């Protein structure tokens, strides 16, 4: 059992951190409990949630904070009550790092919806201590949410799966993406590129990429899309493609024409919103829902079992995220570049 590491990372002190003003410094992790582990961080993906939280986009953030919840590293310390991990194991931590383990939702393996959920940053652990994320050298937290990474799955591909990947994998499997289903993906960015990869890996009959312009068409086809719809280049796109999809995964977080997207769905189709905008969703007519038995639903990250299953599928199918690796020392510039929409399609800090 190694000595306790110094906990240093990119600390946000106010909303200006989202403009590239995080400061490298020390932070105090949660008190070590015998159900916890510590890890040295080797990789941390950059997620859109990081930006929203840095700028208090979803409400006032609890500064100071360290963001990052696509964390991969090697275990350096294990509490005596931890049974299934040991020093040296390669593990990943996603957007959630603790739950109560005792409520109805936890007992039915829906712990991501636990009322006492602890997110990996900008949150409080059950013991009252602050939770800090992975833009750092080391992480300490509950072993129960440190997921072993399958041998043969490179860390650079595993890291962005821990949040971005499972956020779309969960609704894809929950709403039946696979043989016999036609799947549309709205927004070809970090989440969208994962949705295309996983829809294809799950064996969907047809995968359709949907974006405002055709600038990402070539990328979408390489990622597994069979067709591409450019909504800003053909005023008749919703009519021409009506009733052609069974499932839509919407990854966008800005304003969008929800009524027209619903028109793409066939009878019994499902529209899943996973992008988390700062502003409310647009209004829409309920008539399509009524006459075509359609559903609009949301989906929040995924459970530990979702993550395990997703990692195994990624290994089995050699699924490779499109990752651009950047030094941890450049985190402030990475945040700025992310906001400009520059990543294709995921930034990762080493």
């Amino acid at each position: 059992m190694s000595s306790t590491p110094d906990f240093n990372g990119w600390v946000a002190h106010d909303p200006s951190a989202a403009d590239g003003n995080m400061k490298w410094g020390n932070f105090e992790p949660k008190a070590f409990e015998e159900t916890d582990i510590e890890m040295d961080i080797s990789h941390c993906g950059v997620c859109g949630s990081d930006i929203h939280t840095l700028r208090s986009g979803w409400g006032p953030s609890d500064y100071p904070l360290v963001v990052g919840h696509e964390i991969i590293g090697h275990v350096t310390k294990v509490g005596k009550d931890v049974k299934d991990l040991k020093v040296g194991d390669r593990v990943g931590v996603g957007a959630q790092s603790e739950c109560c383990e005792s409520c109805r939702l936890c007992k039915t393996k829906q712990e991501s919806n636990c009322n006492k959920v602890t997110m990996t940053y900008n949150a409080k652990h059950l013991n009252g201590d602050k939770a800090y994320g992975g833009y750092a050298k080391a992480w300490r937290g509950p072993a129960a949410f440190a997921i072993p990474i399958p041998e043969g799955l490179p860390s650079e591909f595993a890291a962005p799966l821990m949040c971005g990947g499972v956020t779309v994998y969960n609704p894809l499997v929950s709403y039946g993406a696979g043989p016999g289903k036609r799947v549309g993906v709205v927004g070809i960015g970090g989440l969208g590129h994962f949705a295309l990869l996983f829809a294809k890996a799950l064996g969907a009959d047809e995968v359709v990429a949907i974006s405002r312009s055709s600038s990402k068409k070539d990328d979408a086809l390489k990622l597994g899309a069979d067709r591409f719809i450019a909504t800003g280049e053909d005023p008749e796109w919703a009519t021409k493609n009506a009733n052609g999809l069974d499932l839509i995964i919407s990854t966008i977080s800005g304003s969008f024409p929800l009524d027209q997207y619903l028109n793409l769905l066939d009878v019994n189709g499902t529209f899943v919103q996973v992008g988390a905008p700062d502003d409310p969703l647009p209004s829409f007519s309920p008539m399509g829902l009524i006459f075509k038995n359609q559903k609009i639903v949301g989906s929040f990250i995924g459970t530990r079992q979702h993550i395990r299953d997703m990692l195994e599928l990624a290994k089995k199918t050699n699924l490779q995220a499109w990752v651009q690796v950047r030094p941890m020392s450049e985190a402030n510039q990475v945040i700025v570049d992310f906001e400009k929409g520059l990543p294709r399609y995921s930034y990762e800090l080493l």
Side-chain angles (χ1 to χ4, degrees), residues 260-339:
Q260 290 178 287
Y261 287 131
L262 294 176
N263 195 55
L264 302 181
L265 288 173
D266 207 346
V267 172
N268 298 319
T270 302
F271 181 95
V272 186
Q273 181 66 29
V274 298
D278 291 350
D279 300 318
L281 285 176
S283 61
F284 64 95
S285 168
M287 301 311 290
L289 304 184
I290 295 169
F291 287 108
K292 294 170 67 178
N293 300 334
Q294 294 174 343
K295 298 180 289 294
I296 299 175
V297 301
S299 183
F300 181 57
I301 54 175
T303 67
R304 287 167 287 188
Q305 192 58 53
H306 281 132
I307 294 174
R308 295 185 191 102
D309 293 344
M310 172 194 66
L311 293 173
E312 288 296 336
L313 178 64
K315 174 186 175 181
K316 178 181 177 181
T317 61
N318 193 31
L319 186 144
Q320 297 184 5
W322 287 23
V323 175
Q324 293 171 275
V325 173
R326 305 280 293 271
M328 182 68 77
S329 60
E330 295 181 6
N332 276 317
Q333 186 59 50
V334 169
I335 291 298
V336 172
D337 292 347
F338 188 101
E339 277 286 78

Side-chain angles (χ1 to χ4, degrees), residues 123-187:
K124 294 288 181 67
H125 284 285
L126 296 181
N127 70 354
D129 291 345
K130 205 165 184 177
Y132 289 92
Y135 289 18
K137 294 176 65 176
W139 182 85
R140 176 190 290 170
F145 280 83
I147 309 297
I149 305 300
E151 185 177 351
L153 180 61
S155 294
E156 67 185 86
F157 298 142
L161 297 179
M162 298 305 297
C163 178
V166 76
T167 294
V168 296
Y169 175 84
N170 173 6
L172 283 168
V173 296
S174 296
Y175 295 101
K181 288 295 180 73
R182 301 161 295 172
V183 179
V185 176
V186 182

Side-chain angles (χ1 to χ4, degrees), residues 45-290:
V46 177
C47 177
S49 300
D50 302 345
I51 316 301
H52 285 288
T53 303
L54 288 173
R55 69 168 175 242
S56 291
W58 293 329
S61 293
D62 184 16
Y63 305 101
L65 60 88
V66 175
V67 297
H69 56 204
E70 297 178 339
I71 309 168
I72 304 292
H74 288 87
V75 176
T76 57
K77 182 177 179 180
V78 179
K80 67 181 181 181
D81 294 334
V82 177
K83 306 301 182 186
D84 54 354
L85 293 175
K86 63 183 184 302
V87 171
D89 284 350
R90 185 172 59 124
V91 297
V93 175
Q96 180 180 2
S97 61
E98 198 170 15
C99 66
C100 77
E101 303 284 10
S102 61
C103 70
R104 177 184 61 83
L105 292 167
C106 288
K107 289 180 177 179
T108 56
K109 298 186 177 181
Q110 293 178 274
E111 69 272 11
S112 54
N113 300 111
C114 173
N115 289 330
K116 296 182 179 179
V117 61
T118 298
M119 306 311 290
T120 298
Y121 58 74
N122 195 38
K124 294 288 181 67
H125 284 285
L126 296 181
N127 70 354
D129 291 345
K130 205 165 184 177
Y132 289 92
Y135 289 18
K137 294 176 65 176
W139 182 85
R140 176 190 290 170
F145 280 83
I147 309 297
I149 305 300
E151 185 177 351
L153 180 61
S155 294
E156 67 185 86
F157 298 142
L161 297 179
M162 298 305 297
C163 178
V166 76
T167 294
V168 296
Y169 175 84
N170 173 6
L172 283 168
V173 296
S174 296
Y175 295 101
K181 288 295 180 73
R182 301 161 295 172
V183 179
V185 176
V186 182
I188 314 305
L191 291 176
H193 104 284
F194 279 125
L196 293 174
L197 288 168
F198 276 117
K200 201 67 174 181
L202 290 164
D205 279 7
E206 185 179 41
V207 180
V208 180
I210 305 167
S211 188
R212 279 187 296 245
S213 77
S214 56
S215 63
K216 297 180 180 178
K217 180 177 180 178
D218 289 345
D219 286 354
L221 296 178
K222 292 175 184 176
L223 287 161
D226 300 295
R227 289 196 295 121
F228 190 94
I229 299 173
T231 62
E233 298 178 3
D234 181 357
E236 302 299 321
W237 65 270
T239 302
K240 291 179 179 178
N241 296 283
N243 306 316
L245 299 171
D246 303 298
L247 173 64
I248 293 176
I249 306 294
S250 171
T251 71
I252 55 179
S253 56
S255 61
F256 57 92
L258 182 54
D259 273 327
Q260 290 178 287
Y261 287 131
L262 294 176
N263 195 55
L264 302 181
L265 288 173
D266 207 346
V267 172
N268 298 319
T270 302
F271 181 95
V272 186
Q273 181 66 29
V274 298
D278 291 350
D279 300 318
L281 285 176
S283 61
F284 64 95
S285 168
M287 301 311 290
L289 304 184
I290 295 169

